[in-house]
Amino acid sequence: MTTVPADTSTPTSRRRASMLIDNVTWYFRFRMALDRLIRYAVAVGGVSIIIAITGIFLFLLIEVLPIFTPASIEVRGHYRVPGAEQAHTLHLAVEEQNEVALRVSDNGELTFFNTRSGQVIQQVWLKLPNHAHIVSFANANAKQATFALGLDSGEVLLVRHEYESTYVDNTRTITPRVEYPYGAKPIVIDPQGETLRRLAMQEGDDGITVVAATEDERLLLVSITKQKSFLSEDVSYERNTVTLPYPSAEVTHLLINKDQQQLYIASRGGNLSFYDIRNKAQPKLLQHLAVTRAGANLTALASLTGGISILVGASDGNLSQWSILRDENNNEQWVKFRDFEPLHKAIVQIVPELNRKGFVAIDEGGGLGIYHTTAQRTLLQRNVSALPLRRIGLSPRANALAVLDDRGTLDFWLIHNPHPEISWSALWNKVWYESYPEPKYQWQSSSASDDFEPKFSLTPLSFGTLKAAFYAILIAVPLSIMAAIFTAQFMSPRMRRSVKPSIEIMAALPTVILGFLAGLWLAPMMEKNLLAILLLFIALPIGIVMTSYLWHRLPAGLRFRVPEGWEAAILIPTVVMIGWAVFMLGPYLEQGLFHGNLVEWLGNPNKGGWLQGWTIDYDQRNALVVGIAMGVAVVPIIFSIAEDALFAVPKHLIHGSLALGATPWQTLVRVVLLTASPGIFSAVMIGLGRAVGETMIVLMATGNTPVMDLSAFHGMRTLSANIAVEMPEAEVASSHYRVLFLAAMVLFMFTFIVNTLAEIIRQHLRKKYSSL
């Protein structure tokens, strides 16, 4: 048969040929333009994704970086200290707005002055008895701005300074005021009238406690308790005085904690005695030990916010924190918690922050250091003067500082130190928290107490994230991969068209619904039927294998009645029957083997035999519940991707293997799985990423306890759930707020690294098996 060429000799034929050529040319130009447009659109989409990911990373980085910046100070005032130049400065204080400071002098003068200029605002002379002189000072209640002055007449005067803010024409004016909480007349501490060389006082709602070391080497413990009448509301005072043993060396420092329960007596040589004074009539010596290195003296002593720990400064510049612990016999003992980076000269004064576990220290060489105890972090060390420093006053918000040197020059500094409690060590290492018997990982971001020590360890949250993902993958991967293999390679096409969409549509189920069902239905049901659930993991595989074996032992006539690829339908009644049988037998087995309750049996140490003393605590919302619920959410993702990869294996490879004599199982293991391994691996990695980032299921089904335990019967708290729970209540720009962003960044980096490694491995596998 020959082809007759088109006749193009006539004008009509030539016109038709020209139109055809024009149409073809236009079509190809359109296709080329469309291809370029799609190529550009894909490129723009890819670049946009990269920009979006980079933008997310940069946003997280911007929010996180401030928590790792060191403290900084900026001088805002430099002048001669106001007040009498010849008087000795006993105390410096700065009010909350950093506008007014107070100088307490040993001549009885209180000088309030402007922090920026040094201009005197008000001077108050204390009402001292005739011929009495101030010889000692004690900060009685820093939060209420109360201090005590010891006199050479054996008396103590309690003074409080307060500040009132008024606004006129939008201008704030702060007016200082001086009060005498226990009256303008001093309180007699020593009836013998001896000079009170050393003094410690603590004020509370129920009264005051005073400890004084007299000139004739006596230690007096005086407690004055308020007694209020319920009928007349008159206030009376009950006084109790006890004489304590005087140390063998000179007393250098006295300190009472804020609860008026512990007394610390420091003597020359770096020795410290700890007394329990809860019973003021019978104080008890708890411990006597050296708190400085050999040859060094204790030169500064302060109580850390909360009153559980004390801060010790030594003549060799060393700084340390000591705290009280209870041993196995419930006896209290003091131990050194941590050392801090030392200053260069003898420590002169330590001033704790009022609301955080930080403190400021100065030395005789003009050095100043800002520290945080929990983070064990040195935030700033700087020489602020060429002269020895004598006094510092820290503002209540710890954002301003007044520093007085040896020649009476005062510098006023502003402090920028918003996140002292955060360090890499506190985030990822074990930390020894106050009242804890040993260092540990702990997350506890808030408390009802103002003296709370924040615990921002991300280690238990990261551990909980990996634990939840592990149990979810442990359940999801075998189910989804095996289901994908059977669906792609052995199931009939008609059945596959129903099964695959049914499983894939499960991915659209909201995880909040799964979490709701897991927390309110699955968790209580599992606690009630724990033995049946555990037996189900054993009985189902055995039952399915036995069913398959029996199926192949049936006569061929019966087996061939079931169309090829529909064998899986036989397993449906098998699974139902096994589940029914296990749940029916579970209570009887539990009654016979575990005294009727497996959960209580696990927690009971009196099991007898080799199990004696062995216990496992069971939390209703635990990792097993999360693994099942999250496995249900992850199965459709892994199944869909893996099934597509298995189904896409070229048929000529499968037919060639079968033609060469390989069995279907050999073909599956040595041909199909190898060829589809990049896709299967990608499916598992995407499922892992899905499990790591899951929020609602772990939020509702884990109990949200940040514990580090591999047990499937214990709960956990994940990074994502922690962010969801605590971000709404976190103060913007606070340390808590930024640590939550750091947790988000850790989650982001984890998924990014896992996905990047997964892609590298997938490309390697694809290249390795592409020649099959």
Side-chain angles (χ1 to χ4, degrees):
M1 179 178 178
T2 59
T3 303
V4 179
D7 183 10
T8 59
S9 59
T10 63
T12 304
S13 300
R14 286 196 297 271
R15 189 164 52 252
R16 289 178 178 175
S18 176
M19 291 176 61
L20 179 61
I21 293 172
D22 290 342
N23 290 337
V24 171
T25 303
W26 178 88
Y27 175 75
F28 277 106
R29 288 177 178 174
F30 173 76
R31 286 295 304 271
M32 292 176 64
L34 184 62
D35 289 345
R36 284 197 298 271
L37 179 63
I38 293 175
R39 186 168 62 250
Y40 292 148
V42 171
V44 169
V47 172
S48 300
I49 292 173
I50 295 174
I51 293 174
I53 293 176
T54 305
I56 293 172
F57 176 77
L58 291 177
F59 173 73
L60 294 174
L61 189 64
I62 290 171
E63 293 292 339
V64 166
L65 276 180
I67 64 179
F68 298 109
T69 56
S72 61
I73 57 176
E74 179 183 1
V75 65
R76 289 300 178 91
H78 178 78
Y79 41 82
R80 294 290 298 175
V81 63
E85 292 189 4
Q86 301 302 321
H88 178 64
T89 301
L90 298 175
H91 181 58
L92 287 176
V94 181
E95 56 84 29
E96 190 173 16
Q97 304 300 330
N98 303 330
E99 296 180 12
V100 179
L102 166 67
R103 178 198 181 195
V104 181
S105 305
D106 63 352
N107 62 353
E109 180 187 27
L110 304 185
T111 305
F112 297 93
F113 58 93
N114 185 280
T115 56
R116 306 299 178 100
S117 63
Q119 181 181 358
V120 175
I121 297 174
Q122 184 180 347
Q123 285 183 309
V124 177
W125 289 91
L126 297 176
K127 301 174 182 179
L128 301 178
N130 293 333
H131 309 294
H133 300 89
I134 300 172
V135 292
S136 56
F137 173 88
N139 213 354
N141 191 326
K143 285 195 174 183
Q144 294 187 8
T146 305
F147 58 87
L149 301 171
L151 308 180
D152 58 2
S153 59
E155 298 172 302
V156 165
L157 181 63
L158 198 62
V159 183
R160 178 178 298 154
H161 52 104
E162 297 181 343
Y163 304 87
E164 182 180 358
S165 297
T166 57
Y167 292 84
V168 178
D169 296 331
N170 293 326
T171 301
R172 180 173 57 204
T173 302
I174 299 177
T175 305
R177 184 173 66 252
V178 175
E179 294 183 351
Y180 301 92
Y182 282 78
K185 184 179 179 180
I187 302 170
V188 176
I189 299 300
D190 183 15
Q192 300 180 22
E194 291 289 338
T195 299
L196 305 182
R197 287 298 176 189
R198 295 285 182 266
L199 181 67
M201 175 179 279
Q202 195 61 245
E203 179 197 17
D205 296 335
D206 298 329
I208 60 173
T209 301
V210 182
V211 176
T214 64
E215 185 72 26
D216 58 352
E217 296 188 347
R218 287 178 294 123
L219 273 176
L220 302 177
L221 171 63
V222 179
S223 61
I224 300 176
T225 306
K226 291 181 180 179
Q227 302 290 337
K228 188 174 182 180
S229 173
F230 290 101
L231 298 178
S232 61
E233 296 188 356
D234 293 335
V235 177
S236 60
Y237 296 94
E238 180 180 342
R239 178 189 175 103
N240 182 72
T241 303
V242 175
T243 301
L244 299 174
Y246 198 89
S248 58
E250 178 191 354
V251 173
T252 59
H253 296 81
L254 297 172
L255 184 66
I256 303 173
N257 76 331
K258 71 163 193 171
D259 297 325
Q260 305 178 42
Q261 295 181 353
Q262 276 89 35
L263 166 64
Y264 317 103
I265 303 173
S267 55
R268 189 169 299 279
N271 296 313
L272 198 62
S273 299
F274 303 91
Y275 278 87
D276 181 352
I277 58 172
R278 280 172 284 198
N279 184 353
K280 302 296 188 296
Q282 295 180 338
K284 178 183 178 183
L285 176 64
L286 295 178
Q287 203 170 355
H288 179 80
L289 71 163
V291 294
T292 62
R293 297 180 181 179
N297 287 316
L298 189 152
T299 56
L301 183 66
S303 179
L304 189 63
T305 297
I308 300 176
S309 299
I310 59 172
L311 302 169
V312 174
S315 58
D316 56 3
N318 283 301
L319 292 158
S320 58
Q321 176 189 357
W322 293 73
S323 192
I324 194 167
L325 293 179
R326 294 184 181 273
D327 58 19
E328 59 275 5
N329 298 321
N330 204 32
N331 296 321
E332 295 179 339
Q333 60 179 351
W334 284 85
V335 297
K336 182 191 287 188
F337 256 41
R338 50 181 67 92
D339 289 303
F340 302 95
E341 186 177 344
L343 294 176
H344 302 293
K345 298 289 184 178
I347 305 299
V348 174
Q349 187 180 5
I350 299 174
V351 179
E353 296 184 19
L354 292 185
N355 301 308
R356 300 184 300 196
K357 298 292 182 177
F359 66 94
V360 180
I362 56 173
D363 68 5
E364 288 185 345
L368 180 143
I370 302 177
Y371 304 87
H372 193 273
T373 56
T374 306
Q376 200 169 357
R377 184 180 177 188
T378 302
L379 297 144
L380 177 75
Q381 270 200 3
R382 178 172 173 178
N383 279 341
V384 296
S385 175
L387 300 171
L389 301 180
R390 289 294 169 240
R391 285 288 178 268
I392 54 175
L394 186 64
S395 71
R397 297 180 182 178
N399 58 356
L401 185 70
V403 182
L404 179 66
D405 67 19
D406 203 31
R407 292 186 181 175
T409 301
L410 190 142
D411 291 323
F412 179 71
W413 300 82
L414 291 183
I415 303 175
H416 180 74
N417 184 27
H419 311 293
E421 58 271 81
I422 308 301
S423 66
W424 280 112
S425 175
L427 289 170
W428 299 108
N429 294 337
K430 289 184 177 181
V431 177
W432 202 349
Y433 300 104
E434 292 178 330
S435 301
Y436 280 56
E438 60 185 8
K440 66 181 302 184
Y441 303 108
Q442 186 71 32
W443 174 274
Q444 186 183 357
S445 59
S446 60
S447 170
S449 172
D450 293 337
D451 304 323
F452 169 67
E453 186 176 23
K455 304 167 182 66
F456 289 130
S457 177
L458 293 179
T459 303
L461 304 182
S462 302
F463 179 87
T465 301
L466 296 177
K467 179 181 177 180
F470 169 77
Y471 280 101
I473 292 298
L474 188 65
I475 292 175
V477 166
L479 290 176
S480 53
I481 297 298
M482 296 301 176
I485 290 172
F486 187 86
T487 304
Q489 297 297 316
F490 302 106
M491 189 175 288
S492 68
R494 181 180 175 186
M495 190 176 185
R496 179 179 179 271
R497 285 194 296 269
S498 300
V499 170
K500 190 172 187 293
S502 300
I503 296 178
E504 289 177 342
I505 203 171
M506 289 172 57
L509 188 64
T511 54
V512 66
I513 301 299
L514 291 175
F516 178 81
L517 293 175
L520 298 183
W521 171 76
L522 181 60
M525 187 272 291
M526 285 184 58
E527 184 180 29
K528 185 179 179 180
N529 302 280
L530 180 59
L531 182 59
I533 296 294
L534 297 178
L535 289 176
L536 202 59
F537 286 102
I538 301 173
L540 272 178
I542 295 176
I544 291 173
V545 171
M546 290 297 298
T547 302
S548 302
Y549 174 78
L550 294 175
W551 171 256
H552 284 283
R553 300 295 296 177
L554 289 175
L558 291 176
R559 285 190 287 112
F560 291 154
R561 290 185 179 182
V562 177
E564 185 178 0
W566 284 83
E567 294 88 348
I570 302 174
L571 292 177
I572 296 176
T574 301
V575 171
V576 172
M577 291 179 62
I578 292 174
W580 176 83
V582 165
F583 275 88
M584 290 298 294
L585 293 174
Y588 297 101
L589 294 175
E590 203 166 9
Q591 185 67 39
L593 300 175
F594 305 107
H595 309 295
N597 194 316
L598 178 58
V599 173
E600 293 183 0
W601 183 86
L602 289 173
N604 183 9
N606 300 318
K607 299 181 178 67
W610 62 275
L611 293 176
Q612 181 69 23
W614 176 77
T615 62
I616 295 180
D617 295 329
Y618 183 89
D619 299 332
Q620 186 186 77
R621 300 186 181 187
N622 52 51
L624 188 58
V625 175
V626 172
I628 295 174
M630 200 150 62
V632 172
V634 173
V635 160
I637 298 172
I638 301 178
F639 169 82
S640 180
I641 299 174
E643 201 274 343
D644 288 340
L646 290 162
F647 192 75
V649 174
K651 299 301 180 184
H652 67 270
L653 294 178
I654 300 174
H655 295 158
S657 175
L658 295 173
L660 291 174
T663 64
W665 180 255
Q666 291 173 327
T667 301
L668 172 67
V669 173
R670 299 183 181 181
V671 177
V672 176
L673 291 180
L674 295 180
T675 307
S677 59
I680 296 174
F681 184 78
S682 298
V684 174
M685 289 297 101
I686 292 174
L688 176 62
R690 171 73 171 79
V692 167
E694 175 55 43
T695 301
M696 294 310 300
I697 294 176
V698 292
L699 179 64
M700 303 176 73
T702 63
N704 284 310
T705 51
V707 296
M708 297 182 64
D709 195 323
L710 285 171
S711 173
F713 299 144
H714 289 171
M716 80 288 287
R717 177 179 285 197
T718 66
L719 290 167
S720 56
N722 190 66
I723 294 169
V725 169
E726 301 198 6
M727 184 61 79
E729 62 186 30
E731 179 186 353
V732 175
S734 65
S735 297
H736 182 203
Y737 177 84
R738 296 194 186 279
V739 169
L740 292 177
F741 272 94
L742 178 60
M745 190 173 183
V746 170
L747 197 60
F748 177 87
M749 293 300 298
F750 178 82
T751 54
F752 179 80
I753 292 172
V754 167
N755 289 337
T756 301
L757 291 176
E759 180 62 18
I760 294 173
I761 296 173
R762 188 186 73 83
Q763 292 292 346
H764 174 73
L765 294 175
R766 184 177 181 181
K767 181 179 179 180
K768 181 177 180 179
Y769 297 116
S770 60
S771 59
L772 290 177

